[in-house]
Amino acid sequence: INFTVEDHDGNRQSIEAPDDMGLSLMEVLKASEYPVLATCGGMALCATCHVEILEGKSELGVATDTELDQLEALPEYFPTSRLACQIRISDILEGSVVKLRGEDN
Ligand code: FES
């Protein structure tokens, strides 16, 4: 599948990712060398993988309760905020635009 990533500087890049390997969006972003700390390793505990879904299927903007607890603890989050580690790569992501919101390191 293909989707677009917008980095902290507003640069957009198209990313291709396999949807049959059970990868999370966080894992794909890290593999693509984006600055995602993912301190908790994908346990929905650190919120450093915060992203905003700028364009995409509406389901993508719906965070689970576990995610919401983390997102609400952030200084800034948006109705379309998600934790990238809680999004599985699947065709639901096709054509979406994901903006990095985690800390820039
Ligand atoms: Fe820690 Fe997603 S990697 S919350």
Side-chain angles (χ1 to χ4, degrees), residues 2 4-6 15 30-31 37 47 53 65 79 91 94 96-98:
N2 279 281
T4 299
V5 179
E6 183 175 313
I15 298 281
K30 279 183 80 84
L37 286 179
I53 308 296
D65 289 347
D91 55 8
E94 178 71 47
S96 58
V97 179
V98 174

Side-chain angles (χ1 to χ4, degrees), residues 14-54:
S14 178
I15 298 281
E16 199 178 322
D19 64 354
D20 58 354
M21 290 175 64
L23 295 172
S24 71
L25 176 58
M26 174 275 277
E27 290 168 316
V28 168
L29 291 173
K30 279 183 80 84
S32 305
E33 300 192 352
Y34 281 105
V36 179
L37 286 179
T39 323
C40 77
M43 304 294 286
L45 292 173
C46 70
T48 58
C49 66
H50 180 196
V51 295
E52 194 186 350
I53 308 296
L54 296 184

